Amino acid sequence: MSDRTPAGQFLDAAIELLRRVRDEEADSIAAAGALLADTVADGGRLFAFGAGHSSLAAQDLVYRAGGLALMNLLAVPGVVGVDVMPAPLGSALERVDGLASAVLDSSPLRAGDALLIISLSGRNALPVEMALSARALGVKVIGVTSVAYASETTSRHSSGTYLKDHCDLVLDSKIAVGDAELTHDKVPAPFAPASTVVTSALLQAVMATTAATLADRGVEPPLLRSGNVDGGHDWNARVMERYGDRIFYRY
């Protein structure tokens, strides 16, 4: 029996989106996992970037129990979360031309690395320029976005293009424009966003594919363990010592 409460409706909507991602993005997830596995095996480093709430999915990949130790956060000051005051400043910075290039110029990103760029709309200057500039450096770019935005909104980049147009691979989160799954006859705006749930799950599916792909090739994936299980800290210390030149979130 279907649960028609708001909670039940939201969870059903999120589950349906996850089913679509599983079924419709399977080939892209496999390709992304293979690309990251190639990068790791070839001595490259892994980075993730997202602005605003898209940064949540990027942060979920970094220094993560069960995750790849080589995944680093490419942080842009002022756009990684709502800790910036006033909060709309972060949104404004996403539309600033030249910011991504300045960040990349001072980052450790180099040819042979891989960069995940997460942007729900993919329309703002920052993620578009980030993809353009990173690829110019010889970095492989995986874009994680809702492709629907490209047909239902206008680009805010001077080129008129979107994130999806400048990636080696694109993962489509299937999120509808506006990122709100529910409506109510007494509520004047749609509500209940699902992009964080779906995007995080999509990216963890890629990470799982990367780890398994490395293992199938005979390469031990550089995984972290929880610090809250016995031996976890010692395990992580060994991993960080071995891969210290490819990890940028440690002292």
Side-chain angles (χ1 to χ4, degrees):
M1 182 176 178
S2 179
D3 181 354
R4 302 311 297 167
T5 66
Q9 289 178 314
F10 172 75
L11 291 170
D12 285 345
I15 290 168
E16 179 56 29
L17 284 165
L18 289 170
R19 285 189 180 127
R20 286 189 61 198
V21 166
R22 179 194 64 193
D23 297 341
E24 298 172 22
E25 296 299 299
D27 290 344
S28 296
I29 290 170
L35 188 156
L36 295 184
D38 290 342
T39 303
V40 172
D42 293 341
R45 295 86 58 82
L46 309 179
F47 295 84
F49 164 77
H53 286 94
S54 290
S55 179
L56 295 174
Q59 293 177 56
D60 189 49
L61 300 177
V62 179
Y63 190 50
R64 190 71 168 84
L68 293 170
L70 306 191
M71 185 61 71
N72 302 277
L73 185 67
L74 184 63
V76 178
V79 304
V80 295
V82 294
D83 57 332
V84 175
M85 296 298 288
L89 174 61
S91 298
L93 289 173
E94 291 185 61
R95 300 192 289 271
V96 174
D97 290 329
L99 180 56
S101 296
V103 169
L104 289 178
D105 286 346
S106 60
S107 79
L109 209 67
R110 68 188 185 192
D113 292 343
L115 172 62
L116 288 155
I117 300 178
I118 304 146
S119 173
L120 178 59
S121 72
R123 68 188 297 222
N124 287 312
L126 183 56
V128 175
E129 184 185 330
M130 186 76 74
L132 276 165
S133 300
R135 292 184 84 192
L137 291 173
V139 173
K140 294 293 186 181
V141 173
I142 300 173
V144 187
T145 187
S146 170
V147 172
Y149 275 83
S151 60
E152 299 182 38
T153 68
T154 56
S155 171
R156 289 175 173 154
H157 187 257
S158 57
S159 67
T161 59
Y162 297 79
L163 169 62
K164 72 175 187 64
D165 299 318
H166 305 287
C167 300
D168 295 280
L169 283 170
V170 175
L171 299 171
D172 184 2
S173 64
K174 316 296 180 181
I175 300 296
V177 173
D179 191 17
E181 294 299 319
L182 302 185
T183 59
H184 190 287
D185 57 7
K186 295 182 180 179
V187 178
F191 57 101
S195 61
T196 303
V197 173
V198 176
T199 303
S200 292
L202 173 55
L203 286 168
Q204 291 299 346
V206 173
M207 296 302 108
T209 303
T210 303
T213 300
L214 285 168
D216 289 342
R217 296 178 182 178
V219 178
E220 181 180 341
L223 296 170
L224 296 172
R225 289 187 172 182
S226 171
N228 294 314
V229 299
D230 292 343
H233 287 302
D234 291 338
W235 171 280
N236 293 341
R238 289 192 295 270
V239 171
M240 290 189 185
E241 177 65 25
R242 179 176 177 184
Y243 295 98
D245 61 333
R246 298 156 78 179
I247 298 172
F248 299 95
Y249 53 82
R250 50 173 259 169
Y251 290 106

